[in-house]
Amino acid sequence: HHVFIATKGGNVMVGPNRGKRIFSPHYIDGVLHESLKRLQTDYIDLYQLHNPTVEVIERGEVWDVLERRKKEGKIRHYAVSVKTVEEGLKALEYPGIQSVQIIFNMFRHRPAELFFPEAKRRRVGILARVPLASKAEMRRAVEIALPPRPEFYR
């Protein structure tokens, strides 16, 4: 059996910068190598930038690092995980992108209308992100479907 290893980089998970997003080539290269060490592997099948902004995607400096690591065999494919259709469409402009993970669920349909056709045309894979919706979206749906009934709160 082959195990497909996918991981993400860009969101700082520990330390004083926890919660920030850093996409400098130096930082991404460092966390990529940390992932290889933690995962105890020589390569990662799919390395995704986690929540890059349109500006980060446009600057493109991080793509050079990922392309270099791909040529070295440290990653097999690189991709992005994004929140918005606009970020996804911008990422599709880069020929090295193999897939885009984008928020798509019963509450967020825009990707199906605007993003999916373009990804298909460019032969870029699509991964549904938050396919079962977030807690906030589910809570909102329940509130709409089941309005509060005062007799339950007496």
Side-chain angles (χ1 to χ4, degrees):
H1 298 297
H2 177 74
V3 175
F4 190 89
I5 300 172
T7 191
K8 298 177 183 177
N11 279 3
V12 182
M13 305 305 281
V14 295
N17 287 322
R18 184 170 190 235
K20 293 183 181 176
R21 295 184 289 174
I22 301 175
F23 296 99
S24 71
H26 177 74
Y27 180 78
I28 292 298
D29 198 40
V31 294
L32 187 151
H33 283 91
E34 288 173 13
S35 291
L36 289 166
K37 187 175 180 180
R38 259 191 322 276
L39 293 166
Q40 299 176 23
T41 185
D42 297 330
Y43 67 90
I44 294 168
D45 292 293
L46 181 65
Y47 193 81
Q48 298 178 90
L49 296 183
H50 194 185
N51 292 337
T53 62
V54 168
E55 293 76 27
V56 167
I57 295 167
E58 284 178 333
R59 268 199 319 265
E61 59 191 12
V62 71
W63 306 126
D64 294 336
V65 170
L66 297 177
E67 192 60 40
R68 207 166 38 252
R69 298 305 172 234
K70 182 178 177 181
K71 287 178 181 167
E72 293 170 356
K74 292 185 178 181
I75 57 176
R76 301 259 166 102
H77 308 283
Y78 56 89
V80 294
S81 178
V82 298
K83 292 182 179 180
T84 70
V85 167
E86 292 72 26
E87 292 162 350
L89 289 171
K90 184 53 70 177
L92 291 177
E93 294 178 11
Y94 292 86
I97 295 291
Q98 294 293 302
S99 67
V100 175
Q101 184 179 42
I102 190 165
I103 296 176
F104 178 69
N105 57 48
M106 60 194 278
F107 302 108
R108 298 200 192 182
H109 301 145
R110 270 186 87 221
E113 302 159 16
L114 303 169
F115 176 77
F116 290 5
E118 186 61 17
K120 181 179 179 180
R121 187 181 78 72
R122 293 179 187 244
R123 301 179 53 82
V124 171
I126 300 168
L127 296 152
R129 180 174 170 185
V130 198
L132 301 177
S134 68
K135 287 181 187 177
E137 289 168 329
M138 290 302 290
R139 191 176 304 114
R140 191 169 53 245
V142 168
E143 288 170 357
I144 291 168
L146 303 171
R149 295 175 54 189
E151 63 271 19
F152 289 152
Y153 303 108
R154 290 188 189 156

